Amino acid sequence: MAFPQTRMRRLRASAGLRGLVRETELRAGHLVLPLFVNEAPSGREPIEAMPGVERLSLAEAVAEAREAAGLAIAGVILFGVPEHKDEEGSGAWDENGAVQLAVAAIKAAVPDLLVMTDVCLCEYTSHGHCGVLRGEGTEARVDNDATLELLARTAVSHAHAGADLVAPSDMMDGRVGVIREALDGEGFAEVPIMAYSAKFASAFYGPFREAAGSTPAFGDRRGYQMDPANGREAVREALLDVQEGADMVMVKPALAYGDLIAAVREASGLPVAAYNVSGEYAMVKAAAAAGYLDERATALEILTSLRRAGADTIITYHAKDAARWLAEQS
Ligand code: PBG
């Protein structure tokens, strides 16, 4: 039956009817808040391109985690901003590193909040790449196989500190399997892996690299992160991570990749995370500051669209605001 028997507007006539037939739900429990933890003894440092996001000392990270828990946000994902960097990125698996100390402190203070860690070397290497290099100068390349063991060491150090979940973001081939084996071997068989499976070489990471001080000193990440033009390859990446033992798969960035959130969900059968990355946050913030967009309506629409595309979990810098807005609505 078509018009005039069918009138799509009938079910849009009131808030009650719209609520009755709403297909997608967004709640604070779907959200994960990224935290940047530095080695400063105290305080917070603003990040220019990400208003409202700061680099946090250990104590401030705990305060921020407490606030997130109070807003019923599912968890936090930690990124380290170390003082010391070297060729190998050895700070990544330092048991007294900012991330390891923050994991332990947050778990002690707010035990029910999920504490996740980003497993990568780029914040810790002097050259800013996500693995160790082979070759000199312009010939230097990230050595996939030599990097795997360092990533595994990093993931184990996070698990030792008490991480609830580890999330490798380096895009080396085979890392999920190697990390799984290392965790199991060290008695962490219960710690899940959320793989950044389809992580693209994206312009949207700009503000994060300022925040984490992880811009590559030369070249770019196109030799290991995915080409934004490739969708079938994203599904293949996710399926390989499933085979290697991933518990969750991720698509990153999120906003321009809704098709792949849907495709990866369909093909993998695993819970899917979407990373609403720094540049996506910065765009909304900048447009709102200029008076071009309503921040609240825009951010909630974006997050809802990621849920609709198929994301079970959304990592977003808007998590605290979104949780507050959602609480006001209900
Ligand atoms: C580390 C990592 C990056 C992001 C998450 N983990 C940066 C990169 O790959 O350059 C980006 C997150 C964001 O932009 O919010 N490899």
Side-chain angles (χ1 to χ4, degrees):
M1 251 189 289
F3 180 82
Q5 292 88 349
T6 299
R7 288 181 181 271
M8 296 305 283
R9 289 181 51 187
R10 277 187 206 119
L11 291 175
R12 295 176 197 153
S14 67
L17 285 167
R18 290 191 295 273
L20 187 71
V21 299
R22 185 159 298 126
E23 297 176 29
T24 305
E25 189 197 21
L26 175 69
R27 26 181 195 83
H30 294 129
L31 307 178
V32 174
L33 175 69
L35 299 182
F36 296 100
V37 192
N38 64 20
E39 293 174 347
S42 64
R44 293 170 173 250
E45 262 174 39
I47 298 159
E48 202 192 325
M50 303 176 74
V53 180
E54 295 155 312
R55 280 182 288 259
L56 308 167
S57 68
L58 187 58
E60 294 299 333
V62 172
E64 195 78 2
R66 222 183 234 120
E67 194 184 344
L71 291 164
I73 290 168
V76 290
I77 182 161
L78 305 186
F79 296 92
V81 188
E83 297 284 329
H84 166 81
K85 299 184 191 236
D86 59 28
E87 282 280 307
E88 275 202 303
S90 64
W93 58 87
D94 178 354
E95 60 183 70
N96 292 311
V99 164
Q100 287 79 357
L101 296 180
V103 167
I106 294 170
K107 282 315 292 180
V110 215
D112 291 338
L113 183 74
L114 292 172
V115 178
M116 314 178 181
T117 57
D118 182 87
V119 176
C120 194
L121 303 183
C122 66
E123 295 116 81
Y124 303 90
T125 50
S126 42
H127 44 75
H129 279 287
C130 300
V132 286
L133 301 182
R134 190 187 43 202
E136 297 294 321
T138 52
E139 293 298 297
R141 295 281 177 278
V142 174
D143 186 334
N144 189 90
D145 298 12
T147 300
L148 295 178
E149 198 248 324
L150 306 182
L151 294 166
R153 238 188 257 180
T154 303
V156 166
S157 81
H158 294 169
H160 261 294
D164 292 301
L165 175 152
V166 295
S169 70
D170 51 283
M171 288 303 278
M172 298 302 121
D173 287 318
R175 92 275 211 208
V176 171
V178 170
I179 290 173
R180 183 72 273 157
E181 199 180 313
L183 288 171
D184 291 358
E186 296 285 330
F188 298 113
E190 304 283 314
V191 174
I193 298 175
M194 175 168 72
Y196 284 72
S197 301
K199 179 175 177 181
F200 290 86
S202 171
F204 288 104
Y205 306 152
F208 173 97
R209 293 183 188 165
E210 176 210 331
S214 63
T215 307
F218 65 91
D220 53 46
R221 303 209 201 290
R222 286 181 294 183
Y224 41 104
Q225 297 181 348
M226 284 187 58
D227 181 339
N230 294 358
R232 283 178 298 156
E233 187 187 340
V235 170
R236 237 181 121 202
E237 279 281 10
L239 293 178
L240 284 168
D241 288 349
V242 173
Q243 267 178 28
E244 290 179 34
D247 300 281
M248 295 180 69
V249 287
M250 194 197 296
V251 175
K252 176 191 175 186
L255 191 48
Y257 296 80
D259 55 334
L260 303 183
I261 297 172
V264 163
R265 179 190 176 94
E266 175 70 26
S268 73
L270 261 55
V272 176
Y275 199 141
N276 178 220
V277 300
S278 57
E280 300 173 35
Y281 175 82
M283 287 197 300
V284 175
K285 281 285 181 189
Y292 298 160
L293 285 176
D294 174 340
E295 181 180 5
R296 170 182 170 144
T298 307
L300 289 177
E301 183 175 330
I302 288 172
L303 297 173
T304 302
S305 79
L306 302 179
R307 291 273 306 144
R308 191 195 63 231
D312 298 284
T313 303
I314 303 168
I315 303 175
T316 178
Y317 302 94
H318 262 122
K320 285 196 302 173
D321 287 331
R324 276 190 213 103
W325 294 327
L326 292 167
E328 281 166 26
Q329 271 177 8
S330 54

